[in-house]
């Protein structure tokens, strides 16, 4: 369990760091849109990059918080019925949900990885004046989904150990 | 496997997962992903990245995190205290004046901060203790604090309008402007209810004596009113720029954030480095949770569209030959029940793709329908078991029990429902202002 704890702790530090980066991404996103508004309406000279970059930053915000939110159990859910279930049932459900999260993140990881590699291989560029190499924004999703997958595996291992404890307590 | 069977399996899985406490993004992701796989095989799933990336990388959706951030800054700025005090001083000689002042302050706060629980947590705490101190009936006081917080969802800028606009493909700017009059209508109905209740029962809401009113008037009132220039300017800047058409909702959100920082740092001097970081952390977290639900909704919508579920559902509803009013009423009842269990943002993302084709097939204006949907969600946040405003008030105040909050808030569900019926009967209330936009 020592290695597992060390790996978990290291991963949580990484997720937390990405979470902090996301906070600053939000601030920079605000400033970019504001800067573009000023240039557009005051100087009649909008940037060619603000709109596109802000869209990519939104994708970053949407995905890179996912693992940290999962680690802190903050994803939105309807827990009215869940809260009345016995602890043992809740542990089983948690394990199922974490398996589901792992499956969903794996699905998005697989499909986004394929697309990112294709964009890289064919030098795909965005259809705009900025001509961003598309593999850069596309790579946000596989990276974030990899983190969510790892967090789901951590959660699943913890669920299984909780279930073992409950089983032990039940048999005593 | 037949398409009908796949639809039944996927929607059953969605409902079972929702009820069992599974994160909502996952419920929709699994139900949608499985449905696509059963219908199109692995090739259907391989294009999910394009759909998800395309749906999320939209400039109109950038308004969501920016308005969330603006709301967080306003919440921490201390404006709520001034708003409440200003209305309290103006209205305290009216029967039930403090309760009515709370409604007005919450409505204006809603125009600054589109988060329903924020008004309850900030204005509510101040207003509730003041009302109880002055001998108001605790039920009246709790209801007057809890229900008006919900106005923040309808009065722009509203996060729910951004999400609805994005899912339904409707102009967010027009939705924002469409929410103004219905918001004023609901605030007016809430005030009317308080007034009637106080006059009929002739107890439970003390009025200021002439001496008290005199001692509290004068320069202090004028000073507080002068301090309100900042929130008034911010509302004018954000909504005015959208209404006149010189800025998109996303651009006005960025102006709003910078304006909110100016108010919090310079005018109120209430934000320091730590609270500044707090606003960013909270906003990023809320954005992350909502956008993940959006990702799940995109996958689920993709499934619905591949199997043409919304069109089939719309045709089915049309084949029932029920009057449009009954159809709309049935939809509203369904949303009301669903809203008791699912939060507003998730409800919009789950139901809009299914209901929109019905809206279009009945020749209803989707902007009007969006206003009705969000008015309906206002009831959801004040009804158990998931009524967020109820729990927020119970958490931030030790002065009233949950039972008192429930009893005090219940009449407002009927008040909002009355408002909903009025908005259903007179679509012009929602559509007049957007019709004047350029």
């Amino acid at each position: 369990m020592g290695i597992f704890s060390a790996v978990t702790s290291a991963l949580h530090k990484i997720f937390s760091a990405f979470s902090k980066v996301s906070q600053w991404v939000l601030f920079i996103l605000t400033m970019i849109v504001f800067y573009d508004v000023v240039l557009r309406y005051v100087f009649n000279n909008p940037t060619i990059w603000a709109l596109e970059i802000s869209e990519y930053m939104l994708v970053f915000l949407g995905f890179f918080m996912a693992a940290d939110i999962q680690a802190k159990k903050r994803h939105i859910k309807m827990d009215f019925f869940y809260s009345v279930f016995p602890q043992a049932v809740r542990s089983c459900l948690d394990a199922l949900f974490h398996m589901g999260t792992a499956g969903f993140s794996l699905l998005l990881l697989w499909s986004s990885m394929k697309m990112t590699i294709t964009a890289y291989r064919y030098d795909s560029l965005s259809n705009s004046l900025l001509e961003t190499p598309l593999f850069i924004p596309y790579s946000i999703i596989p990276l974030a989904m990899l983190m969510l997958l790892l967090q789901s595996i951590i959660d699943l291992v913890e669920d299984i150990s909780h279930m073992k404890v409950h089983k032990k307590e039940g048999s005593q | 496997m037949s398409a009908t069977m796949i639809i039944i399996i996927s929607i059953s899985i969605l409902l079972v997962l929702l009820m069992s406490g599974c994160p909502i993004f996952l419920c929709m992701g699994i139900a949608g992903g499985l449905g696509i796989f059963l219908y199109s095989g692995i090739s259907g799933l391989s294009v999910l990245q394009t759909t998800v990336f395309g749906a999320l990388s939209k400039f109109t959706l950038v308004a969501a995190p920016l308005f969330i951030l603006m709301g967080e800054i306003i919440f921490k700025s201390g404006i709520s205290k001034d708003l409440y005090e200003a209305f309290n001083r103006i209205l305290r000689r009216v029967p039930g004046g403090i309760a009515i002042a709370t409604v007005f302050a919450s409505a204006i706060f809603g125009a600054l901060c589109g988060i329903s629980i924020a008004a309850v947590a900030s204005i509510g705490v101040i207003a509730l203790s003041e009302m109880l101190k002055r001998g108001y009936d605790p039920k009246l006081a709790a209801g007057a604090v809890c229900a008006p917080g919900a106005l923040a969802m309808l009065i722009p800028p509203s996060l729910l309008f951004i999400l609805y606009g994005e899912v339904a493909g409707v102009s967010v700017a027009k939705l924002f402007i469409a929410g103004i009059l219905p918001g004023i209508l609901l605030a007016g109905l809430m005030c009317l209810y308080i007034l009637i209740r106080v006059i009929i029962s002739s107890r439970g809401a003390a009025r200021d004596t002439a001496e008290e009113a005199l001692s509290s008037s004068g320069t202090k009132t004028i000073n507080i009113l002068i301090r309100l220039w900042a929130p008034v300017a911010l509302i004018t800047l954000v909504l005015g720029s959208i209404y006149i058409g010189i800025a998109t909702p996303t651009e006005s959100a960025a102006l709003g954030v910078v304006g909110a920082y100016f108010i919090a740092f310079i005018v109120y001097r209430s934000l320091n480095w730590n609270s500044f970081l707090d606003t960013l952390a909270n906003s990023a977290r809320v954005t992350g949770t909502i956008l993940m639900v959006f990702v799940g909704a995109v996958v689920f919508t993709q499934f619905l569209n591949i199997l043409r579920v919304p069109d089939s559902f719309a045709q089915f509803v049309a084949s029932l030959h029920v009057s449009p009013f009954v159809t709309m009423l049935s939809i509203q009842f369904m949303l009301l029940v669903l809203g008791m269990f699912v939060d507003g943002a998730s409800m919009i993302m789950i139901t809009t793709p299914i209901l929109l084709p019905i809206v279009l097939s009945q020749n209803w204006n989707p902007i009007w329908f969006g206003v009705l949907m969000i008015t309906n969600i206002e009831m959801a946040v004040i009804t158990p078991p998931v009524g967020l405003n109820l729990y927020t008030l119970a958490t931030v105040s030790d002065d009233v029990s949950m039972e008192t909050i429930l009893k005090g808030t219940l009449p407002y569900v009927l008040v909002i429902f009355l408002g909903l019926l009025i908005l259903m009967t007179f679509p012009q209330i929602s559509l007049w202002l957007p019709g004047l936009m350029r």
Side-chain angles (χ1 to χ4, degrees):
Chain A
M1 220 46 191
I3 296 172
F4 176 74
S5 301
V7 171
T8 303
S9 165
L11 284 173
H12 280 169
K13 277 183 190 152
I14 295 171
F15 301 160
S16 183
F18 270 105
S19 184
K20 289 231 159 44
V21 171
S22 298
Q23 294 162 23
W24 285 103
V25 166
L26 174 60
F27 183 72
I28 295 164
L29 169 66
T30 309
M31 291 305 132
I32 286 176
V33 179
F34 179 69
Y35 174 71
D36 195 47
V37 169
V38 172
L39 285 190
R40 184 187 303 271
Y41 295 111
V42 179
F43 299 102
N44 201 21
N45 184 25
T47 65
I48 58 158
W49 52 268
L51 192 138
E52 191 174 337
I53 295 294
S54 56
E55 288 173 353
Y56 299 149
M57 288 172 106
L58 183 71
V59 179
F60 186 98
L61 265 176
F63 280 98
F64 269 105
M65 293 293 293
D68 195 44
I69 293 169
Q70 165 94 356
K72 290 173 179 152
K73 314 272 181 271
R74 301 291 278 273
H75 279 301
I76 306 172
K77 58 185 178 184
M78 191 184 114
D79 54 4
F80 175 66
F81 297 109
Y82 174 87
S83 59
V84 296
F85 292 142
Q87 183 58 48
V89 176
R90 274 190 275 172
S91 297
C92 288
L93 282 174
D94 285 342
L96 280 174
F97 298 156
H98 292 138
M99 260 191 267
T101 311
F104 183 65
S105 45
L106 199 60
L107 169 68
L108 280 184
L109 173 63
W110 165 71
S111 78
S112 57
M113 192 60 124
K114 261 178 58 177
M115 186 125 176
T116 308
I117 291 169
T118 309
Y120 180 74
R121 191 174 291 160
Y122 293 101
D123 287 330
S124 304
L125 302 175
S126 67
N127 192 14
S128 66
L129 288 172
L130 197 58
E131 296 194 331
T132 311
L134 279 175
F135 80 92
I136 299 173
Y138 282 173
S139 61
I140 292 171
I141 301 182
L143 266 175
M145 286 300 104
L146 178 65
M147 294 202 298
L148 185 61
L149 175 65
L150 291 172
Q151 180 56 46
S152 311
I153 294 169
I154 292 170
D155 288 334
L156 195 56
V157 172
E158 284 173 354
D159 292 334
I160 292 167
S161 66
H162 286 158
M163 280 156 70
K164 277 183 184 165
V165 170
H166 289 310
K167 206 173 171 186
K168 218 173 180 180
E169 282 172 358
S171 62
Q172 274 172 0
Chain B
M1 199 181 289
S2 72
T4 314
M5 191 49 114
I6 294 171
I7 293 166
I8 291 170
I9 290 172
S10 288
I11 291 184
S12 306
I13 287 173
L14 173 74
L15 293 176
V16 169
L17 288 176
L18 271 177
M19 295 289 175
S20 55
C22 179
I24 288 173
F25 83 90
L26 192 59
C27 300
M28 291 193 282
I30 288 180
L34 185 73
I36 295 172
F37 175 72
L38 291 175
Y39 190 72
S40 316
I42 202 80
S43 60
L45 293 174
S46 65
V47 294
L48 273 185
Q49 145 87 358
T50 325
T51 318
V52 168
F53 191 88
L56 206 57
S57 56
K58 285 207 177 129
F59 192 62
T60 42
L61 203 56
V62 174
L66 302 192
F67 277 126
I68 291 169
L69 179 58
M70 178 181 149
E72 277 289 334
I73 300 161
I74 292 295
F75 180 49
K76 287 203 160 40
S77 68
I79 282 180
S80 53
K81 193 164 178 280
D82 273 1
L83 277 175
Y84 168 71
E85 267 192 45
F87 283 109
N88 192 9
R89 281 167 189 278
I90 296 166
L91 295 163
R92 60 199 306 169
R93 294 204 67 192
V94 176
I98 307 179
I100 294 174
T102 310
V103 176
F104 277 113
S106 298
I108 301 292
F109 194 72
L112 291 159
C113 167
I115 307 164
S116 79
I117 55 169
V120 180
S122 51
I123 292 172
V125 177
I126 313 163
L128 185 67
S129 62
E130 172 88 3
M131 281 189 269
L132 295 177
K133 201 167 72 187
R134 302 189 70 83
Y136 271 58
D137 178 355
K139 288 202 285 287
L140 173 67
V145 161
C146 210
L151 292 171
M153 295 191 299
L154 188 60
I155 295 173
S158 157
L159 173 67
L160 298 187
F161 274 139
I162 298 171
L163 295 174
Y164 173 79
E166 201 49 56
V167 178
V170 177
S171 157
V172 175
K174 288 194 170 175
L175 282 166
F176 273 6
I177 300 306
I180 295 176
L181 290 182
I184 294 170
L185 171 76
L186 287 190
L189 287 175
M190 286 178 187
C191 293
L192 195 64
Y193 161 74
I194 293 168
L195 203 60
I196 292 170
R197 182 175 162 177
V198 169
I199 290 170
I200 289 174
S201 68
S202 70
R203 65 169 282 275
R207 202 190 314 192
D208 265 8
T209 60
E211 291 77 27
E212 280 172 324
L214 201 63
S215 70
S216 66
S217 63
T219 50
K220 212 171 172 187
T221 307
I222 292 166
N223 282 342
I224 286 178
L225 286 174
I226 290 171
R227 267 168 76 97
L228 288 182
W229 73 267
V232 170
L234 188 60
I235 294 170
T236 312
L237 176 74
V238 172
L239 294 185
S241 59
I242 295 173
Y243 185 72
I244 297 167
I246 57 166
T248 64
T250 307
E251 291 168 338
S252 75
L255 291 173
V257 173
V258 174
Y261 273 133
F262 176 78
I263 290 173
F265 274 122
I266 312 286
V267 181
Y268 281 79
R269 297 177 190 279
S270 51
L271 217 59
N272 55 32
W273 180 247
N274 286 334
S275 49
F276 166 74
L277 291 179
D278 271 354
T279 59
L280 289 180
N282 290 339
S283 308
R285 183 178 51 75
V286 173
T287 304
T289 50
I290 288 174
L291 290 183
M292 274 315 281
V293 176
F294 189 80
V295 168
V298 168
V299 176
F300 189 66
T301 308
Q302 173 84 343
F303 152 70
L304 293 176
N305 289 337
I306 288 175
L307 275 88
R308 303 177 62 85
V309 178
D311 292 337
S312 310
F313 191 47
Q315 279 168 11
F316 168 72
V317 172
S319 71
L320 295 175
H321 300 295
V322 181
S323 79
F325 188 81
V326 174
T327 309
M328 178 59 91
L329 210 57
S330 312
I331 290 173
Q332 295 304 330
F333 271 114
M334 186 203 74
L335 292 175
L336 181 62
V337 174
L338 194 63
M340 287 178 183
F341 300 98
V342 183
D343 78 288
S346 308
M347 193 164 93
I348 284 177
M349 290 186 264
I350 294 170
T351 58
T352 305
I354 299 171
L355 295 176
L356 196 69
I358 300 176
V359 172
L360 299 176
S361 70
Q362 298 277 347
N363 287 325
W364 292 332
N365 190 314
I367 292 177
W368 173 60
F369 183 73
V371 170
L372 296 182
M373 198 173 195
I374 286 156
T375 307
N376 198 309
I377 294 172
E378 290 202 341
M379 287 187 274
V381 294
I382 57 169
T383 43
V386 188
L388 276 179
N389 287 18
L390 304 171
Y391 297 110
T392 304
L393 184 59
T395 310
V396 296
S397 170
D398 297 326
D399 298 327
V400 282
S401 67
M402 192 62 186
E403 189 189 344
T404 310
I405 297 171
L406 276 174
K407 282 183 180 164
T409 310
L410 197 61
Y412 288 91
V413 177
L414 300 177
V415 170
I416 298 175
F417 191 72
L418 174 67
L420 184 67
L421 287 177
I422 294 173
L423 293 173
M424 275 169 63
T425 316
F426 302 103
Q428 301 89 328
I429 299 172
S430 312
L431 299 175
W432 180 59
L433 281 179
L436 297 177
M437 284 172 79
R438 274 193 282 169

